Amino acid sequence: MEPAVLNVRDFSQDHRWLSINTATVRKQWPLDRIINECAQRGITAIAPWRDQVAAVGLDKIARQLRSSGVQLSGYCRGGFFPAPDAAGLAAALDDNRRAIDEALTLGAPCLVLVVGSLPGALTGQPLHKDISRVRNEVRDGIAATLQYARQMGMPLAIEPLHPMQAAERACINTLEQALDLCDQLDPEQTGALGVAVDLYHVWWDPKLAQQIQRAGRQRLLAFHVCDWLTPTRDLLNDRGMMGDGVIQLRQARAWVEAAGYAGFAEVEIFSDHWWAQPGETVLDTCIARHKAVV
Ligand code: ZN
């Protein structure tokens, strides 16, 4: 049971603070349809992925967002900085600059960074095992990208991933680690660099409340929700609908709001189960659970 009284915004009456990460229904619909389905339900924010935008066309999506009144809670994603050689590192920086340009065209409030880890690991063939090296490459990659991001006025949000993803997708695995990097690269807390708190990745962390408080309003750029199922059957694609797992969602929301976060709760569910349901059912369930348990 959730504690009875927590000091949070009231989500029970409407869903003005609901955002849908569009990966949640990516198997059902292309992005233009997702935007329409969201707008029809009064969902006013989404977080799209670059491949979904590219599949329909950047300019077309930007126009559709403007005409439908749907805004972004974030743009997914930049990052994947490590590479086996100098050319690869440079290519990653180029790609991150393009992601920033796209985020600007779409009016995103931040570009979410999944920072990357051992090159080749994602395809089952890691080219080396040196996680210290890739952490340094990530630090240098974010530092270089931050220069461009500052010029363009696009905040970068580092998303720590659960340690089960440490080899393949992100060598930043706790909020503390992400915030240490923020403090190193943006010590003045200018708002140009912060974190995306995805509860699926960080709910288990004994320092979660403490690090959310440390992050504060200047660093808390995005808040992602879903649920942790028991047992979890797939390391990537078995996220739960809010309320179906063991994450104390409202407690965590109370922590981010106490720290000054007043933005969207973005639903991000990678799930073979939910991808097999009608998209309408998924969105309607997201709205209901957002009101009831987030
Ligand atoms: Zn996320």
mmCIF file with all atom_site columns, all heavy atoms in Angstrom, residues 21 49 76 112 114 159-161 196-201 222-226 239 266-268 270, ligand 1:
data_model
loop_
_atom_site.group_PDB
_atom_site.id
_atom_site.type_symbol
_atom_site.label_atom_id
_atom_site.label_alt_id
_atom_site.label_comp_id
_atom_site.label_asym_id
_atom_site.label_entity_id
_atom_site.label_seq_id
_atom_site.pdbx_PDB_ins_code
_atom_site.Cartn_x
_atom_site.Cartn_y
_atom_site.Cartn_z
_atom_site.occupancy
_atom_site.B_iso_or_equiv
_atom_site.pdbx_formal_charge
_atom_site.auth_seq_id
_atom_site.auth_comp_id
_atom_site.auth_asym_id
_atom_site.auth_atom_id
_atom_site.pdbx_PDB_model_num
ATOM   1   N  N   . ASN A 1 21  ? 5.828  8.621  -23.483 1.00 0.00 ? 21  ASN A N   1
ATOM   2   C  CA  . ASN A 1 21  ? 7.008  8.307  -24.271 1.00 0.00 ? 21  ASN A CA  1
ATOM   3   C  C   . ASN A 1 21  ? 6.540  7.398  -25.398 1.00 0.00 ? 21  ASN A C   1
ATOM   4   O  O   . ASN A 1 21  ? 5.942  6.337  -25.148 1.00 0.00 ? 21  ASN A O   1
ATOM   5   C  CB  . ASN A 1 21  ? 8.062  7.627  -23.399 1.00 0.00 ? 21  ASN A CB  1
ATOM   6   C  CG  . ASN A 1 21  ? 9.350  7.395  -24.155 1.00 0.00 ? 21  ASN A CG  1
ATOM   7   O  OD1 . ASN A 1 21  ? 9.350  6.662  -25.140 1.00 0.00 ? 21  ASN A OD1 1
ATOM   8   N  ND2 . ASN A 1 21  ? 10.430 8.011  -23.722 1.00 0.00 ? 21  ASN A ND2 1
ATOM   9   N  N   . TRP A 1 49  ? 11.005 9.311  -30.125 1.00 0.00 ? 49  TRP A N   1
ATOM   10  C  CA  . TRP A 1 49  ? 12.350 8.807  -30.428 1.00 0.00 ? 49  TRP A CA  1
ATOM   11  C  C   . TRP A 1 49  ? 12.756 9.241  -31.827 1.00 0.00 ? 49  TRP A C   1
ATOM   12  O  O   . TRP A 1 49  ? 11.908 9.409  -32.712 1.00 0.00 ? 49  TRP A O   1
ATOM   13  C  CB  . TRP A 1 49  ? 12.373 7.279  -30.300 1.00 0.00 ? 49  TRP A CB  1
ATOM   14  C  CG  . TRP A 1 49  ? 12.317 6.865  -28.859 1.00 0.00 ? 49  TRP A CG  1
ATOM   15  C  CD1 . TRP A 1 49  ? 11.250 7.033  -28.018 1.00 0.00 ? 49  TRP A CD1 1
ATOM   16  C  CD2 . TRP A 1 49  ? 13.366 6.275  -28.089 1.00 0.00 ? 49  TRP A CD2 1
ATOM   17  N  NE1 . TRP A 1 49  ? 11.582 6.582  -26.763 1.00 0.00 ? 49  TRP A NE1 1
ATOM   18  C  CE2 . TRP A 1 49  ? 12.868 6.109  -26.779 1.00 0.00 ? 49  TRP A CE2 1
ATOM   19  C  CE3 . TRP A 1 49  ? 14.671 5.877  -28.368 1.00 0.00 ? 49  TRP A CE3 1
ATOM   20  C  CZ2 . TRP A 1 49  ? 13.640 5.560  -25.756 1.00 0.00 ? 49  TRP A CZ2 1
ATOM   21  C  CZ3 . TRP A 1 49  ? 15.435 5.318  -27.352 1.00 0.00 ? 49  TRP A CZ3 1
ATOM   22  C  CH2 . TRP A 1 49  ? 14.923 5.165  -26.051 1.00 0.00 ? 49  TRP A CH2 1
ATOM   23  N  N   . CYS A 1 76  ? 14.158 11.735 -27.310 1.00 0.00 ? 76  CYS A N   1
ATOM   24  C  CA  . CYS A 1 76  ? 14.963 10.526 -27.143 1.00 0.00 ? 76  CYS A CA  1
ATOM   25  C  C   . CYS A 1 76  ? 15.644 10.162 -28.461 1.00 0.00 ? 76  CYS A C   1
ATOM   26  O  O   . CYS A 1 76  ? 14.970 9.958  -29.421 1.00 0.00 ? 76  CYS A O   1
ATOM   27  C  CB  . CYS A 1 76  ? 14.112 9.352  -26.716 1.00 0.00 ? 76  CYS A CB  1
ATOM   28  S  SG  . CYS A 1 76  ? 13.280 9.597  -25.136 1.00 0.00 ? 76  CYS A SG  1
ATOM   29  N  N   . VAL A 1 112 ? 17.410 13.822 -24.027 1.00 0.00 ? 112 VAL A N   1
ATOM   30  C  CA  . VAL A 1 112 ? 17.756 12.768 -23.077 1.00 0.00 ? 112 VAL A CA  1
ATOM   31  C  C   . VAL A 1 112 ? 18.980 12.010 -23.597 1.00 0.00 ? 112 VAL A C   1
ATOM   32  O  O   . VAL A 1 112 ? 19.047 11.664 -24.788 1.00 0.00 ? 112 VAL A O   1
ATOM   33  C  CB  . VAL A 1 112 ? 16.567 11.806 -22.889 1.00 0.00 ? 112 VAL A CB  1
ATOM   34  C  CG1 . VAL A 1 112 ? 16.965 10.608 -22.043 1.00 0.00 ? 112 VAL A CG1 1
ATOM   35  C  CG2 . VAL A 1 112 ? 15.390 12.544 -22.249 1.00 0.00 ? 112 VAL A CG2 1
ATOM   36  N  N   . VAL A 1 114 ? 21.214 8.664  -23.354 1.00 0.00 ? 114 VAL A N   1
ATOM   37  C  CA  . VAL A 1 114 ? 21.598 7.311  -22.947 1.00 0.00 ? 114 VAL A CA  1
ATOM   38  C  C   . VAL A 1 114 ? 23.053 7.197  -23.372 1.00 0.00 ? 114 VAL A C   1
ATOM   39  O  O   . VAL A 1 114 ? 23.358 7.176  -24.565 1.00 0.00 ? 114 VAL A O   1
ATOM   40  C  CB  . VAL A 1 114 ? 20.720 6.243  -23.624 1.00 0.00 ? 114 VAL A CB  1
ATOM   41  C  CG1 . VAL A 1 114 ? 21.229 4.837  -23.311 1.00 0.00 ? 114 VAL A CG1 1
ATOM   42  C  CG2 . VAL A 1 114 ? 19.268 6.387  -23.166 1.00 0.00 ? 114 VAL A CG2 1
ATOM   43  N  N   . GLU A 1 159 ? 20.434 10.207 -18.429 1.00 0.00 ? 159 GLU A N   1
ATOM   44  C  CA  . GLU A 1 159 ? 19.546 9.206  -17.835 1.00 0.00 ? 159 GLU A CA  1
ATOM   45  C  C   . GLU A 1 159 ? 20.381 8.035  -17.326 1.00 0.00 ? 159 GLU A C   1
ATOM   46  O  O   . GLU A 1 159 ? 20.932 7.270  -18.121 1.00 0.00 ? 159 GLU A O   1
ATOM   47  C  CB  . GLU A 1 159 ? 18.516 8.703  -18.863 1.00 0.00 ? 159 GLU A CB  1
ATOM   48  C  CG  . GLU A 1 159 ? 17.556 7.672  -18.272 1.00 0.00 ? 159 GLU A CG  1
ATOM   49  C  CD  . GLU A 1 159 ? 16.296 7.456  -19.098 1.00 0.00 ? 159 GLU A CD  1
ATOM   50  O  OE1 . GLU A 1 159 ? 15.876 8.378  -19.810 1.00 0.00 ? 159 GLU A OE1 1
ATOM   51  O  OE2 . GLU A 1 159 ? 15.732 6.358  -19.025 1.00 0.00 ? 159 GLU A OE2 1
ATOM   52  N  N   . PRO A 1 160 ? 20.508 7.888  -15.984 1.00 0.00 ? 160 PRO A N   1
ATOM   53  C  CA  . PRO A 1 160 ? 21.182 6.689  -15.484 1.00 0.00 ? 160 PRO A CA  1
ATOM   54  C  C   . PRO A 1 160 ? 20.327 5.454  -15.773 1.00 0.00 ? 160 PRO A C   1
ATOM   55  O  O   . PRO A 1 160 ? 19.114 5.483  -15.579 1.00 0.00 ? 160 PRO A O   1
ATOM   56  C  CB  . PRO A 1 160 ? 21.301 6.927  -13.970 1.00 0.00 ? 160 PRO A CB  1
ATOM   57  C  CG  . PRO A 1 160 ? 20.441 8.081  -13.635 1.00 0.00 ? 160 PRO A CG  1
ATOM   58  C  CD  . PRO A 1 160 ? 20.012 8.756  -14.907 1.00 0.00 ? 160 PRO A CD  1
ATOM   59  N  N   . LEU A 1 161 ? 20.969 4.400  -16.272 1.00 0.00 ? 161 LEU A N   1
ATOM   60  C  CA  . LEU A 1 161 ? 20.251 3.153  -16.535 1.00 0.00 ? 161 LEU A CA  1
ATOM   61  C  C   . LEU A 1 161 ? 20.578 2.130  -15.457 1.00 0.00 ? 161 LEU A C   1
ATOM   62  O  O   . LEU A 1 161 ? 21.661 2.139  -14.884 1.00 0.00 ? 161 LEU A O   1
ATOM   63  C  CB  . LEU A 1 161 ? 20.614 2.568  -17.907 1.00 0.00 ? 161 LEU A CB  1
ATOM   64  C  CG  . LEU A 1 161 ? 20.294 3.353  -19.176 1.00 0.00 ? 161 LEU A CG  1
ATOM   65  C  CD1 . LEU A 1 161 ? 20.243 2.390  -20.367 1.00 0.00 ? 161 LEU A CD1 1
ATOM   66  C  CD2 . LEU A 1 161 ? 19.014 4.157  -19.102 1.00 0.00 ? 161 LEU A CD2 1
ATOM   67  N  N   . ALA A 1 196 ? 17.615 12.804 -16.197 1.00 0.00 ? 196 ALA A N   1
ATOM   68  C  CA  . ALA A 1 196 ? 16.282 12.246 -16.392 1.00 0.00 ? 196 ALA A CA  1
ATOM   69  C  C   . ALA A 1 196 ? 16.150 11.120 -15.381 1.00 0.00 ? 196 ALA A C   1
ATOM   70  O  O   . ALA A 1 196 ? 16.915 10.148 -15.426 1.00 0.00 ? 196 ALA A O   1
ATOM   71  C  CB  . ALA A 1 196 ? 16.122 11.720 -17.824 1.00 0.00 ? 196 ALA A CB  1
ATOM   72  N  N   . VAL A 1 197 ? 15.221 11.266 -14.455 1.00 0.00 ? 197 VAL A N   1
ATOM   73  C  CA  . VAL A 1 197 ? 15.000 10.244 -13.426 1.00 0.00 ? 197 VAL A CA  1
ATOM   74  C  C   . VAL A 1 197 ? 13.943 9.271  -13.942 1.00 0.00 ? 197 VAL A C   1
ATOM   75  O  O   . VAL A 1 197 ? 12.761 9.587  -14.007 1.00 0.00 ? 197 VAL A O   1
ATOM   76  C  CB  . VAL A 1 197 ? 14.531 10.874 -12.104 1.00 0.00 ? 197 VAL A CB  1
ATOM   77  C  CG1 . VAL A 1 197 ? 14.183 9.791  -11.086 1.00 0.00 ? 197 VAL A CG1 1
ATOM   78  C  CG2 . VAL A 1 197 ? 15.600 11.803 -11.541 1.00 0.00 ? 197 VAL A CG2 1
ATOM   79  N  N   . ASP A 1 198 ? 14.419 8.103  -14.383 1.00 0.00 ? 198 ASP A N   1
ATOM   80  C  CA  . ASP A 1 198 ? 13.501 7.051  -14.826 1.00 0.00 ? 198 ASP A CA  1
ATOM   81  C  C   . ASP A 1 198 ? 13.412 6.033  -13.696 1.00 0.00 ? 198 ASP A C   1
ATOM   82  O  O   . ASP A 1 198 ? 14.393 5.345  -13.393 1.00 0.00 ? 198 ASP A O   1
ATOM   83  C  CB  . ASP A 1 198 ? 14.032 6.405  -16.115 1.00 0.00 ? 198 ASP A CB  1
ATOM   84  C  CG  . ASP A 1 198 ? 13.050 5.375  -16.678 1.00 0.00 ? 198 ASP A CG  1
ATOM   85  O  OD1 . ASP A 1 198 ? 12.314 4.741  -15.890 1.00 0.00 ? 198 ASP A OD1 1
ATOM   86  O  OD2 . ASP A 1 198 ? 13.030 5.197  -17.908 1.00 0.00 ? 198 ASP A OD2 1
ATOM   87  N  N   . LEU A 1 199 ? 12.240 5.954  -13.085 1.00 0.00 ? 199 LEU A N   1
ATOM   88  C  CA  . LEU A 1 199 ? 12.103 5.098  -11.893 1.00 0.00 ? 199 LEU A CA  1
ATOM   89  C  C   . LEU A 1 199 ? 12.385 3.634  -12.187 1.00 0.00 ? 199 LEU A C   1
ATOM   90  O  O   . LEU A 1 199 ? 12.789 2.892  -11.292 1.00 0.00 ? 199 LEU A O   1
ATOM   91  C  CB  . LEU A 1 199 ? 10.714 5.256  -11.281 1.00 0.00 ? 199 LEU A CB  1
ATOM   92  C  CG  . LEU A 1 199 ? 10.448 6.618  -10.642 1.00 0.00 ? 199 LEU A CG  1
ATOM   93  C  CD1 . LEU A 1 199 ? 9.037  6.645  -10.050 1.00 0.00 ? 199 LEU A CD1 1
ATOM   94  C  CD2 . LEU A 1 199 ? 11.476 6.945  -9.565  1.00 0.00 ? 199 LEU A CD2 1
ATOM   95  N  N   . TYR A 1 200 ? 12.182 3.199  -13.424 1.00 0.00 ? 200 TYR A N   1
ATOM   96  C  CA  . TYR A 1 200 ? 12.492 1.805  -13.736 1.00 0.00 ? 200 TYR A CA  1
ATOM   97  C  C   . TYR A 1 200 ? 13.966 1.512  -13.485 1.00 0.00 ? 200 TYR A C   1
ATOM   98  O  O   . TYR A 1 200 ? 14.326 0.426  -13.049 1.00 0.00 ? 200 TYR A O   1
ATOM   99  C  CB  . TYR A 1 200 ? 12.142 1.496  -15.193 1.00 0.00 ? 200 TYR A CB  1
ATOM   100 C  CG  . TYR A 1 200 ? 12.176 0.006  -15.491 1.00 0.00 ? 200 TYR A CG  1
ATOM   101 C  CD1 . TYR A 1 200 ? 11.194 -0.835 -14.986 1.00 0.00 ? 200 TYR A CD1 1
ATOM   102 C  CD2 . TYR A 1 200 ? 13.191 -0.553 -16.254 1.00 0.00 ? 200 TYR A CD2 1
ATOM   103 C  CE1 . TYR A 1 200 ? 11.216 -2.197 -15.233 1.00 0.00 ? 200 TYR A CE1 1
ATOM   104 C  CE2 . TYR A 1 200 ? 13.223 -1.917 -16.514 1.00 0.00 ? 200 TYR A CE2 1
ATOM   105 C  CZ  . TYR A 1 200 ? 12.231 -2.726 -16.000 1.00 0.00 ? 200 TYR A CZ  1
ATOM   106 O  OH  . TYR A 1 200 ? 12.248 -4.083 -16.251 1.00 0.00 ? 200 TYR A OH  1
ATOM   107 N  N   . HIS A 1 201 ? 14.805 2.491  -13.736 1.00 0.00 ? 201 HIS A N   1
ATOM   108 C  CA  . HIS A 1 201 ? 16.248 2.297  -13.604 1.00 0.00 ? 201 HIS A CA  1
ATOM   109 C  C   . HIS A 1 201 ? 16.779 2.549  -12.195 1.00 0.00 ? 201 HIS A C   1
ATOM   110 O  O   . HIS A 1 201 ? 17.803 2.003  -11.812 1.00 0.00 ? 201 HIS A O   1
ATOM   111 C  CB  . HIS A 1 201 ? 16.987 3.222  -14.583 1.00 0.00 ? 201 HIS A CB  1
ATOM   112 C  CG  . HIS A 1 201 ? 16.743 2.880  -16.018 1.00 0.00 ? 201 HIS A CG  1
ATOM   113 N  ND1 . HIS A 1 201 ? 17.093 1.664  -16.558 1.00 0.00 ? 201 HIS A ND1 1
ATOM   114 C  CD2 . HIS A 1 201 ? 16.176 3.580  -17.028 1.00 0.00 ? 201 HIS A CD2 1
ATOM   115 C  CE1 . HIS A 1 201 ? 16.760 1.645  -17.835 1.00 0.00 ? 201 HIS A CE1 1
ATOM   116 N  NE2 . HIS A 1 201 ? 16.205 2.787  -18.146 1.00 0.00 ? 201 HIS A NE2 1
ATOM   117 N  N   . ALA A 1 222 ? 13.664 15.632 -16.240 1.00 0.00 ? 222 ALA A N   1
ATOM   118 C  CA  . ALA A 1 222 ? 12.621 14.723 -16.731 1.00 0.00 ? 222 ALA A CA  1
ATOM   119 C  C   . ALA A 1 222 ? 12.367 13.640 -15.691 1.00 0.00 ? 222 ALA A C   1
ATOM   120 O  O   . ALA A 1 222 ? 13.268 13.287 -14.919 1.00 0.00 ? 222 ALA A O   1
ATOM   121 C  CB  . ALA A 1 222 ? 13.042 14.086 -18.055 1.00 0.00 ? 222 ALA A CB  1
ATOM   122 N  N   . PHE A 1 223 ? 11.136 13.121 -15.695 1.00 0.00 ? 223 PHE A N   1
ATOM   123 C  CA  . PHE A 1 223 ? 10.710 12.126 -14.710 1.00 0.00 ? 223 PHE A CA  1
ATOM   124 C  C   . PHE A 1 223 ? 9.918  11.049 -15.463 1.00 0.00 ? 223 PHE A C   1
ATOM   125 O  O   . PHE A 1 223 ? 8.858  11.343 -16.024 1.00 0.00 ? 223 PHE A O   1
ATOM   126 C  CB  . PHE A 1 223 ? 9.842  12.824 -13.645 1.00 0.00 ? 223 PHE A CB  1
ATOM   127 C  CG  . PHE A 1 223 ? 9.281  11.932 -12.588 1.00 0.00 ? 223 PHE A CG  1
ATOM   128 C  CD1 . PHE A 1 223 ? 10.106 11.171 -11.772 1.00 0.00 ? 223 PHE A CD1 1
ATOM   129 C  CD2 . PHE A 1 223 ? 7.905  11.872 -12.377 1.00 0.00 ? 223 PHE A CD2 1
ATOM   130 C  CE1 . PHE A 1 223 ? 9.581  10.352 -10.769 1.00 0.00 ? 223 PHE A CE1 1
ATOM   131 C  CE2 . PHE A 1 223 ? 7.372  11.067 -11.377 1.00 0.00 ? 223 PHE A CE2 1
ATOM   132 C  CZ  . PHE A 1 223 ? 8.210  10.313 -10.576 1.00 0.00 ? 223 PHE A CZ  1
ATOM   133 N  N   . HIS A 1 224 ? 10.483 9.834  -15.509 1.00 0.00 ? 224 HIS A N   1
ATOM   134 C  CA  . HIS A 1 224 ? 9.879  8.752  -16.286 1.00 0.00 ? 224 HIS A CA  1
ATOM   135 C  C   . HIS A 1 224 ? 9.300  7.689  -15.358 1.00 0.00 ? 224 HIS A C   1
ATOM   136 O  O   . HIS A 1 224 ? 9.956  7.295  -14.384 1.00 0.00 ? 224 HIS A O   1
ATOM   137 C  CB  . HIS A 1 224 ? 10.922 8.074  -17.188 1.00 0.00 ? 224 HIS A CB  1
ATOM   138 C  CG  . HIS A 1 224 ? 11.574 8.997  -18.164 1.00 0.00 ? 224 HIS A CG  1
ATOM   139 N  ND1 . HIS A 1 224 ? 12.636 8.629  -18.965 1.00 0.00 ? 224 HIS A ND1 1
ATOM   140 C  CD2 . HIS A 1 224 ? 11.311 10.297 -18.483 1.00 0.00 ? 224 HIS A CD2 1
ATOM   141 C  CE1 . HIS A 1 224 ? 12.996 9.642  -19.721 1.00 0.00 ? 224 HIS A CE1 1
ATOM   142 N  NE2 . HIS A 1 224 ? 12.216 10.663 -19.448 1.00 0.00 ? 224 HIS A NE2 1
ATOM   143 N  N   . VAL A 1 225 ? 8.118  7.208  -15.682 1.00 0.00 ? 225 VAL A N   1
ATOM   144 C  CA  . VAL A 1 225 ? 7.475  6.192  -14.834 1.00 0.00 ? 225 VAL A CA  1
ATOM   145 C  C   . VAL A 1 225 ? 7.027  4.976  -15.655 1.00 0.00 ? 225 VAL A C   1
ATOM   146 O  O   . VAL A 1 225 ? 6.702  5.074  -16.843 1.00 0.00 ? 225 VAL A O   1
ATOM   147 C  CB  . VAL A 1 225 ? 6.254  6.766  -14.078 1.00 0.00 ? 225 VAL A CB  1
ATOM   148 C  CG1 . VAL A 1 225 ? 6.676  7.892  -13.144 1.00 0.00 ? 225 VAL A CG1 1
ATOM   149 C  CG2 . VAL A 1 225 ? 5.167  7.245  -15.031 1.00 0.00 ? 225 VAL A CG2 1
ATOM   150 N  N   . CYS A 1 226 ? 7.055  3.838  -14.969 1.00 0.00 ? 226 CYS A N   1
ATOM   151 C  CA  . CYS A 1 226 ? 6.416  2.602  -15.408 1.00 0.00 ? 226 CYS A CA  1
ATOM   152 C  C   . CYS A 1 226 ? 6.422  1.738  -14.148 1.00 0.00 ? 226 CYS A C   1
ATOM   153 O  O   . CYS A 1 226 ? 6.247  2.283  -13.052 1.00 0.00 ? 226 CYS A O   1
ATOM   154 C  CB  . CYS A 1 226 ? 7.128  1.955  -16.606 1.00 0.00 ? 226 CYS A CB  1
ATOM   155 S  SG  . CYS A 1 226 ? 8.813  1.423  -16.313 1.00 0.00 ? 226 CYS A SG  1
ATOM   156 N  N   . ARG A 1 239 ? 8.922  -4.146 -19.107 1.00 0.00 ? 239 ARG A N   1
ATOM   157 C  CA  . ARG A 1 239 ? 8.520  -3.129 -18.141 1.00 0.00 ? 239 ARG A CA  1
ATOM   158 C  C   . ARG A 1 239 ? 7.025  -3.251 -17.875 1.00 0.00 ? 239 ARG A C   1
ATOM   159 O  O   . ARG A 1 239 ? 6.258  -3.646 -18.754 1.00 0.00 ? 239 ARG A O   1
ATOM   160 C  CB  . ARG A 1 239 ? 8.790  -1.728 -18.698 1.00 0.00 ? 239 ARG A CB  1
ATOM   161 C  CG  . ARG A 1 239 ? 10.258 -1.400 -18.853 1.00 0.00 ? 239 ARG A CG  1
ATOM   162 C  CD  . ARG A 1 239 ? 10.387 0.029  -19.338 1.00 0.00 ? 239 ARG A CD  1
ATOM   163 N  NE  . ARG A 1 239 ? 11.769 0.464  -19.456 1.00 0.00 ? 239 ARG A NE  1
ATOM   164 C  CZ  . ARG A 1 239 ? 12.177 1.707  -19.227 1.00 0.00 ? 239 ARG A CZ  1
ATOM   165 N  NH1 . ARG A 1 239 ? 11.307 2.639  -18.873 1.00 0.00 ? 239 ARG A NH1 1
ATOM   166 N  NH2 . ARG A 1 239 ? 13.429 2.043  -19.362 1.00 0.00 ? 239 ARG A NH2 1
ATOM   167 N  N   . GLU A 1 266 ? 6.267  11.165 -17.312 1.00 0.00 ? 266 GLU A N   1
ATOM   168 C  CA  . GLU A 1 266 ? 6.321  10.580 -18.655 1.00 0.00 ? 266 GLU A CA  1
ATOM   169 C  C   . GLU A 1 266 ? 6.275  9.056  -18.557 1.00 0.00 ? 266 GLU A C   1
ATOM   170 O  O   . GLU A 1 266 ? 7.149  8.447  -17.946 1.00 0.00 ? 266 GLU A O   1
ATOM   171 C  CB  . GLU A 1 266 ? 7.617  11.042 -19.334 1.00 0.00 ? 266 GLU A CB  1
ATOM   172 C  CG  . GLU A 1 266 ? 7.864  10.451 -20.715 1.00 0.00 ? 266 GLU A CG  1
ATOM   173 C  CD  . GLU A 1 266 ? 9.237  10.893 -21.247 1.00 0.00 ? 266 GLU A CD  1
ATOM   174 O  OE1 . GLU A 1 266 ? 9.611  12.078 -21.084 1.00 0.00 ? 266 GLU A OE1 1
ATOM   175 O  OE2 . GLU A 1 266 ? 9.936  10.027 -21.802 1.00 0.00 ? 266 GLU A OE2 1
ATOM   176 N  N   . VAL A 1 267 ? 5.258  8.475  -19.165 1.00 0.00 ? 267 VAL A N   1
ATOM   177 C  CA  . VAL A 1 267 ? 5.102  7.019  -19.139 1.00 0.00 ? 267 VAL A CA  1
ATOM   178 C  C   . VAL A 1 267 ? 5.946  6.400  -20.245 1.00 0.00 ? 267 VAL A C   1
ATOM   179 O  O   . VAL A 1 267 ? 5.763  6.717  -21.425 1.00 0.00 ? 267 VAL A O   1
ATOM   180 C  CB  . VAL A 1 267 ? 3.630  6.617  -19.329 1.00 0.00 ? 267 VAL A CB  1
ATOM   181 C  CG1 . VAL A 1 267 ? 3.507  5.102  -19.417 1.00 0.00 ? 267 VAL A CG1 1
ATOM   182 C  CG2 . VAL A 1 267 ? 2.770  7.166  -18.192 1.00 0.00 ? 267 VAL A CG2 1
ATOM   183 N  N   . GLU A 1 268 ? 6.874  5.536  -19.853 1.00 0.00 ? 268 GLU A N   1
ATOM   184 C  CA  . GLU A 1 268 ? 7.771  4.905  -20.818 1.00 0.00 ? 268 GLU A CA  1
ATOM   185 C  C   . GLU A 1 268 ? 7.776  3.406  -20.558 1.00 0.00 ? 268 GLU A C   1
ATOM   186 O  O   . GLU A 1 268 ? 8.405  2.926  -19.619 1.00 0.00 ? 268 GLU A O   1
ATOM   187 C  CB  . GLU A 1 268 ? 9.181  5.484  -20.666 1.00 0.00 ? 268 GLU A CB  1
ATOM   188 C  CG  . GLU A 1 268 ? 10.168 4.942  -21.699 1.00 0.00 ? 268 GLU A CG  1
ATOM   189 C  CD  . GLU A 1 268 ? 11.571 5.506  -21.502 1.00 0.00 ? 268 GLU A CD  1
ATOM   190 O  OE1 . GLU A 1 268 ? 11.939 5.802  -20.351 1.00 0.00 ? 268 GLU A OE1 1
ATOM   191 O  OE2 . GLU A 1 268 ? 12.286 5.638  -22.504 1.00 0.00 ? 268 GLU A OE2 1
ATOM   192 N  N   . PHE A 1 270 ? 8.563  -0.181 -22.277 1.00 0.00 ? 270 PHE A N   1
ATOM   193 C  CA  . PHE A 1 270 ? 9.022  -1.121 -23.302 1.00 0.00 ? 270 PHE A CA  1
ATOM   194 C  C   . PHE A 1 270 ? 8.505  -2.483 -22.874 1.00 0.00 ? 270 PHE A C   1
ATOM   195 O  O   . PHE A 1 270 ? 8.971  -3.039 -21.878 1.00 0.00 ? 270 PHE A O   1
ATOM   196 C  CB  . PHE A 1 270 ? 10.548 -1.196 -23.354 1.00 0.00 ? 270 PHE A CB  1
ATOM   197 C  CG  . PHE A 1 270 ? 11.235 0.092  -23.689 1.00 0.00 ? 270 PHE A CG  1
ATOM   198 C  CD1 . PHE A 1 270 ? 11.543 1.006  -22.712 1.00 0.00 ? 270 PHE A CD1 1
ATOM   199 C  CD2 . PHE A 1 270 ? 11.579 0.373  -24.999 1.00 0.00 ? 270 PHE A CD2 1
ATOM   200 C  CE1 . PHE A 1 270 ? 12.192 2.191  -23.020 1.00 0.00 ? 270 PHE A CE1 1
ATOM   201 C  CE2 . PHE A 1 270 ? 12.236 1.562  -25.312 1.00 0.00 ? 270 PHE A CE2 1
ATOM   202 C  CZ  . PHE A 1 270 ? 12.533 2.462  -24.329 1.00 0.00 ? 270 PHE A CZ  1
HETATM 203 ZN ZN  . ZN  B 2 .   ? 13.475 6.635  -19.488 1.00 0.00 ? 1   ZN  B ZN  1
#
